[in-house]
C-alpha cells in the first residue's frame, strides 16, 4: 500500500471514522497511483479504517486499473447499471457497519451525495477535504523532484516561445509552436491552457490567446506550465519585443521588484498574508495598487491550483515542503499588462524556485 | 436577453421558483453567452422569476465579462473576500424573499451548497439539472450549424492524422501534428484529449496515447474532436496500416455493420435502448458481445458528453433536434481494438451525420 493511502487509513482509525468515499480523480491518483479522467462517469476510491480499500471504475477502465500500480480490489460497473447500488453493496461488503463516512465536500456534488446518502441514511458524513489538503500540502522529496522536472519543462516551453517571436506572428501560432515542440519532446499535457498575450491583450490577467499579432514595442506575456509524471509547473514571464513605452517599462520594474521581494521573503514561519503584503505594498506604493487585481499566488502540486491561497489577510503559516506560486501583476488597459511568476518549494531557511528563465527585463 | 435565459426565467415563474443559482461554466456560457473557466474560483449566474439576472465573477474576470455579450449586472469578488457573503447579499438585493431556490445538483458541490444554504436556511432547494438538460437537449438551427462546423474540423483533424502515419512514428507525435496544424488553422481547443492508439494500445477503449510506434499490419484508432464557437465534435475512425490479421479485419467488419445499422435506425420515436440493442445484437451475434464494454453513445453539444446516454434498456425517446454519438467498438486484447463513431443530429425522418470521413475499411 502506498504511504499516502496508509497514512489516510491510520488517520481514519484515529478519528473513529469508518471509511472514506473519494471521487476526485486527482486525489484518487494521489492515493492509489491510478490516474484516470472518467468524464461524467464515476470513478471512486473507498478507504476503510479497518479492511482493504477498493477502486470502483467504469467497466471500460477496469483493465487499465488492474494494470496500474494499484494492488487491491477493482470493482466496475457497466453503463446500464446503477453505479450507486453497486457502490453501496461493495462498501457494505468491506465494512457492514459504516456509521461515520468521510466525503470530499469540495468535490462531491449534491446529486452524488444524495445518492450515496440514500443507501446510508443513518450514517453521519464528515468533510475529508481539509485532511486531503493537509496531506498534499507538504511535498515529499519524490514529489519535489517531479515538480523540479516539470519546472525545467516550463523553462523549455518559454525558450521555444521566445524563439518563435517575430513581428506579425499571432498569439495562437506561438501557442501552437510551444505545444507542438513539447509534444514531440514527450510532454503529453499542459497544466492549463497555454497563454500567450500580446500588447493590450495582456492587460487582461486571464486573457484568452487569439488572433492578435505580435507588434513592435510591446510586451508579450507567457503564462504556462506542463504536467510531468503527474505533477505540474506554472510560470509567467513578460518580455519586451522592441522598446515598450517608458510607462510600460516602469510597470515592469515595479512587478519585478514585487516578485523578487516576495521570493526573498519566503521561509518557514511567515504567513501567506505577509507574503502578499510585501508584494502588494511595493505595487501600491508605486501607485498601481488598484491594478493588481488578484492574490499573490496559489499552492500547486499534482494539480496546478491547490491549497493554500497566498492572499491578503491570510494568517496561514508557511512551512518547509510547501509549494506555491509568487505571481504579482499590474494590468493597466491601454498601457501594459505585466505579470512575473515563479513557483517555489519552501526550504529550511528560504525557498528554491522551480523555473530558472531570467526575470530581469529582457527585450528581443 | 438571450432566448435560453428568457425561457429559463419564464419556467422559473411558471414553477413558482424564486430564483436559480448556476455555477457550471458550460451552462453559464449557454445561458449568458459569457465563456470562462474560473478553475477553483467561483463563477455564478443568478436568474430570477422576477427581476434582472446577474453574473458573479472573480475580480480578475470582471472586465472580460463586461466586454462579453452579457448586458445585465456583473458583480465580482476579490481573492481575499468571502464570495458567499457577497453572493447572498446580491441575491437578496435582487429578490429579498427567496424561499424556493433551484440549484444544479449534478454540478454544485456539497461544500458550496452548504455555504449557500447557510445564508438561506429556511429556503427550499430544488434540482434544476433535469430542466437544463432538457433545454440543451433539442438544438437550435444555430447550434446545429456550429456543430456541423465542428464536425468539419474533426474531419480535417483525421485528414491531418492520416497523412502523418508512417512506420515508426509514435502515437504522441501523430497527436502533436494534428493539434499543431489545427492550432495554426485557428482551432484553439480540442473537445477532449486527442487519442491515437496503435495496435494493442487500441484494445483499451480509453487508452492514453503514448510512445508506442506505428507498426505495419496493425490498426490505428483515432478518437478526437474540436471545439468550434463553443460547440463540440467527436469522431472515431480506425484505419489499417498495411494488412492486419484476418481476425482483426473480421472485427472491423462487425463494428462497421453495427455502426451503420444504428445510424440507419436513428429517427424520432425510437428509444435510446433500441438503438443500443441494434448495434449490440450485431456484435453479440458475431460472438464479440463481451468485448463491447461501453454504451453505444452519448449526447453532445456545448459539452462533449451530455444527456442523453444511448445505452442498454433505456426507454428514453429520441426526438428531432437531438445530437448524440453512435460509437460501437470491439476490443480484444492481443487481436485488435476497433471503434467507429459518428455524431448525428436527428432530423424529421432520420438523421444527419456531422463527420464525413469514410467509414469503409481503409488501408494506408
Amino acid at each position: 500500500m502506498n504511504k499516502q493511502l496508509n497514512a489516510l487509513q491510520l488517520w481514519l482509525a484515529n478519528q473513529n471514522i469508518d471509511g472514506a468515499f473519494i471521487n476526485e480523480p486527482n486525489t484518487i491518483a494521489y492515493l492509489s497511483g491510478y490516474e484516470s479522467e472518467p468524464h461524467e462517469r464515476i470513478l471512486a476510491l473507498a478507504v476503510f479504517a479497518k479492511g482493504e480499500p477498493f477502486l470502483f471504475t467504469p467497466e471500460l477502465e477496469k483493465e487499465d486499473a488492474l494494470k496500474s500500480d494499484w494492488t487491491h480490489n477493482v470493482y466496475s460497473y457497466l453503463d446500464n447499471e446503477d453505479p450507486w447500488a453497486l457502490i453501496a453493496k461493495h462498501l457494505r461488503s468491506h465494512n457492514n457497519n459504516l456509521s461515520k463516512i468521510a466525503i470530499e465536500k469540495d468535490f462531491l456534488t449534491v446529486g452524488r451525495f444524495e445518492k450515496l446518502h440514500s443507501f446510508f441514511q443513518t450514517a453521519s458524513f464528515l468533510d475529508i477535504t481539509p485532511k486531503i489538503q493537509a496531506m498534499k500540502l507538504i511535498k515529499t522529496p519524490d514529489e519535489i523532484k517531479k515538480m523540479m522536472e516539470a519546472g525545467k519543462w516550463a523553462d523549455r516551453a518559454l525558450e521555444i516561445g521566445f524563439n518563435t517571436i517575430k513581428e506579425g506572428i499571432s498569439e495562437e501560432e506561438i501557442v501552437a509552436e510551444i505545444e507542438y515542440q513539447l509534444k514531440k519532446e514527450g510532454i503529453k499535457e499542459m497544466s492549463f491552457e497555454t497563454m500567450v498575450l500580446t500588447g493590450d491583450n495582456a492587460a487582461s490577467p486571464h486573457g484568452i490567446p487569439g488572433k492578435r499579432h505580435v507588434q513592435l514595442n510591446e510586451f508579450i506575456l507567457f503564462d504556462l506550465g506542463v504536467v510531468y509524471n503527474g505533477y505540474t509547473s506554472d510560470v509567467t514571464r513578460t518580455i519586451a519585443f522592441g522598446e515598450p513605452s517608458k510607462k510600460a517599462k516602469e510597470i515592469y520594474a515595479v512587478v519585478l521588484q514585487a516578485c523578487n521581494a516576495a521570493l526573498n521573503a519566503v521561509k518557514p514561519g511567515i504567513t501567506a498574508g505577509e507574503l502578499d503584503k510585501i508584494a502588494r505594498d511595493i505595487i501600491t506604493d508605486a501607485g498601481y495598487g488598484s491594478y493588481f487585481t488578484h492574490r499573490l499566488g496559489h499552492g500547486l502540486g499534482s494539480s496546478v491550483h491547490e491549497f493554500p491561497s497566498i492572499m491578503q489577510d491570510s494568517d496561514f503559516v508557511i512551512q518547509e515542503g510547501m509549494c506555491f506560486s509568487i505571481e504579482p501583476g499590474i494590468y493597466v488597459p491601454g498601457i501594459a499588462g505585466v505579470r512575473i511568476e515563479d513557483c517555489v518549494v519552501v526550504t529550511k531557511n528560504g525557498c528554491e524556485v522551480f523555473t530558472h528563465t531570467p526575470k530581469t527585463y529582457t527585450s528581443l
Side-chain angles (χ1 to χ4, degrees), chain A residues 193-197 201-210 339:
Chain A
E193 226 173 304
T194 301
M195 258 189 261
V196 175
L197 301 169
N201 253 5
S204 166
H206 268 195
I208 294 165
R339 182 166 63 255

Side-chain angles (χ1 to χ4, degrees), chain A residues 225-247:
Chain A
V226 308
V227 181
Y228 178 84
N229 266 356
Y231 283 78
T232 63
S233 56
D234 189 0
V235 68
T236 307
R237 289 292 184 271
T238 307
I239 64 163
F241 182 62
E243 193 79 10
S245 70
K246 202 182 146 200
K247 196 83 184 160

Side-chain angles (χ1 to χ4, degrees), chain A residues 159 274 326:
Chain A
E159 187 185 21
E274 285 165 346
I326 296 286

Side-chain angles (χ1 to χ4, degrees), chain A residues 18-19 48-50 90-98 120:
Chain A
D18 302 309
F48 302 90
K50 287 171 198 161
H90 296 308
L91 284 170
R92 288 210 173 91
S93 80
H94 281 241
N95 180 335
N96 66 2
N97 189 20
L98 287 170
F120 297 94

Side-chain angles (χ1 to χ4, degrees), chain A residues 41-284:
Chain A
R41 292 187 176 91
I42 295 164
L43 172 70
L45 170 67
V47 187
F48 302 90
K50 287 171 198 161
E52 239 202 318
F54 68 80
L55 269 178
F56 183 78
T57 75
E59 177 64 25
L60 79 176
E61 308 216 345
K62 191 178 180 180
E63 276 302 312
D64 287 340
L66 288 169
K67 275 192 256 165
S68 75
D69 292 340
W70 181 251
T71 52
H72 308 283
N73 288 300
V74 178
Y75 305 123
S76 63
Y77 74 102
L78 293 163
D79 284 336
N80 62 326
E81 291 181 304
D82 174 6
W84 295 100
L86 289 171
I87 286 169
K89 186 186 86 175
H90 296 308
L91 284 170
R92 288 210 173 91
S93 80
H94 281 241
N95 180 335
N96 66 2
N97 189 20
L98 287 170
S99 62
K100 219 171 159 183
I101 303 173
I103 56 171
E104 307 156 280
K105 290 194 176 178
D106 276 15
F107 297 102
L108 189 68
T109 64
V110 175
R112 287 186 172 185
F113 172 67
E114 287 184 352
K115 279 168 185 154
L116 184 65
H117 192 207
S118 72
F119 286 96
F120 297 94
Q121 293 188 25
T122 59
S124 65
F125 291 87
L126 301 93
D127 191 7
I128 202 170
T129 312
K131 173 61 185 170
I132 301 281
Q133 278 179 347
M135 288 177 71
K136 288 181 173 176
L137 194 58
I138 307 292
K139 268 65 178 180
T140 64
D142 179 57
E143 289 180 294
I144 292 166
K145 217 172 132 187
K146 288 173 181 165
M147 295 179 74
M148 289 280 175
E149 279 300 315
K152 275 187 199 167
W153 282 105
D155 282 326
R156 171 73 186 126
L158 288 174
E159 187 185 21
I160 297 164
F162 294 173
N163 287 336
T164 309
I165 294 172
K166 59 181 179 199
E167 208 170 342
I169 194 170
S170 73
E171 295 164 343
E172 63 194 14
E173 283 171 318
I174 299 174
V175 171
E177 284 292 338
I178 292 171
E179 297 187 352
Y180 176 64
Q181 290 296 338
L182 288 184
K183 284 221 172 177
K184 286 216 294 185
E185 293 173 23
I187 291 298
K188 279 181 197 153
E189 201 187 335
M190 306 303 287
S191 309
F192 52 90
E193 226 173 304
T194 301
M195 258 189 261
V196 175
L197 301 169
T198 65
D200 257 7
N201 253 5
S204 166
H206 268 195
I208 294 165
K211 297 190 188 303
R212 198 177 182 289
H213 293 249
V214 167
Q215 292 170 26
L216 251 181
N217 305 328
E218 283 186 344
F219 278 124
I220 305 169
L221 186 153
F222 293 79
D223 188 352
L224 54 82
V226 308
V227 181
Y228 178 84
N229 266 356
Y231 283 78
T232 63
S233 56
D234 189 0
V235 68
T236 307
R237 289 292 184 271
T238 307
I239 64 163
F241 182 62
E243 193 79 10
S245 70
K246 202 182 146 200
K247 196 83 184 160
K249 283 199 263 185
E250 177 189 303
I251 288 171
Y252 190 94
V254 174
V255 175
L256 179 61
Q257 196 194 340
C259 187
N260 282 332
L263 285 171
N264 288 332
V266 175
K267 62 178 180 188
I270 197 165
T271 67
E274 285 165 346
L275 283 175
D276 185 288
K277 191 171 186 310
I278 287 166
R280 199 168 302 274
D281 281 353
I282 289 169
I283 290 173
T284 303

